[in-house]
Amino acid sequence: VGAEVLRPTNPNTPAIQTLLRHAHTRGFHGVPQPITIGPDGRERLVFIPGDVPYPPFPEWSQSERALTSAVELLRRYHDAVADFVAPPDARWSDELADPAGGTLICHNDVCPENVVYRDGIALALLDFDFAAPGRALYDLAQLARMCVPLDTADDAARAGRRSLDSRAPFVRLRAVADAYGLPPDRTDFVDVIAETMMGGSTFVRRRVERAEPAFIEMWNAMGGQARYDRRQEWFERNRQQFLDALG
C-alpha cells in the first residue's frame, strides 16, 4: 500500500521488529524497517523496491554474483546483530531453528524468494518469520542448501533451476564459503549442511500434515518424501567431492 508493506502478525512479531530496528541502528539497512502494528492487527514495514525472483528462476538470479552477493548480505546482517540482546519476553519460531541453539538471531530462510535484488545484486533480506537463536554457520548452511541449490540436477530443474549443470553445486558451494569468509578448514560447514538437509524435509512434512495447500502442492509436485530422501542420499554420496571443492 503505497510505500508500506502490510503483513499478518504472529506471536514472534514484536521480537522480530525489535531485531530489525536494532539492525538499522547499527547502520545495516538490508532488512525491512518496521513502522508499527496497525489497528487491523497487521504489521507495517517500509517497502523495499527491487526484484525478487521466483520459480522458474530467471537467468540473472542464478548467476554466481547474485549468489555471492546474497552471502555477503547475510554476513553483514550477522555482523550487525551480533550484539543484539533480545527482550526477556522475546518469542522466536522453532520451525527452522538451529537444533544446537546459539546466541545469534539467524534468519534461517534465506532462499531466492526472500531476497530483494537490484541490478542482479542482493540488496535486502525479507521475511524473518522463522528467525531464531542459532549458529552463523547453520544460517549460512540453510542459505547454501536453498540458493546453491544443493540438490540433484533433476530435482533442481523441477524446482525452476534449469540452467545449472551437474558440477554447479560444487563450484557454487565453494563460492558461498569464500564469500562469507569461512576459515580454510571447512569440514564443519559440510557437517552442518547435512543437519539442514534433515531439518528441511521435516519442516515441509509438518506443513503438509497441517493441510496447508501451498505445501501440499509443492510436496506432490516434487515427489513427496522420496525427493528429500534422494537429496540427502545424493549429498552423502558426494560428501568427499564437496570437501574437495571447498579446498
Side-chain angles (χ1 to χ4, degrees), residues 103-184:
T103 57
L104 180 75
I105 306 301
C106 299
H107 183 286
N108 290 318
D109 195 25
V110 181
C111 56
E113 301 94 320
N114 283 340
V115 181
V116 180
Y117 295 85
R118 201 173 294 161
D119 298 324
I121 304 297
L123 177 75
L125 303 173
L126 301 177
D127 192 355
F128 279 75
D129 285 354
F130 299 115
R135 297 165 290 173
L137 199 62
Y138 193 85
D139 211 9
L140 182 65
Q142 295 272 53
L143 180 154
R145 179 172 56 81
M146 295 182 281
C147 295
V148 167
L150 295 174
D151 219 336
T152 68
D154 288 344
D155 285 324
R158 272 192 286 271
R161 310 294 189 93
R162 299 188 182 279
S163 66
L164 298 178
D165 61 39
S166 59
R167 283 296 305 164
F170 305 100
V171 175
R172 287 166 65 85
L173 187 62
R174 171 64 181 261
V176 166
D178 289 347
Y180 193 85
L182 292 184

Side-chain angles (χ1 to χ4, degrees), residues 1 46 49 94-95 99 107 113 132 135 172 197 224:
V1 178
V46 175
D94 62 0
E95 291 199 74
H107 183 286
E113 301 94 320
R135 297 165 290 173
R172 287 166 65 85
M197 292 285 182

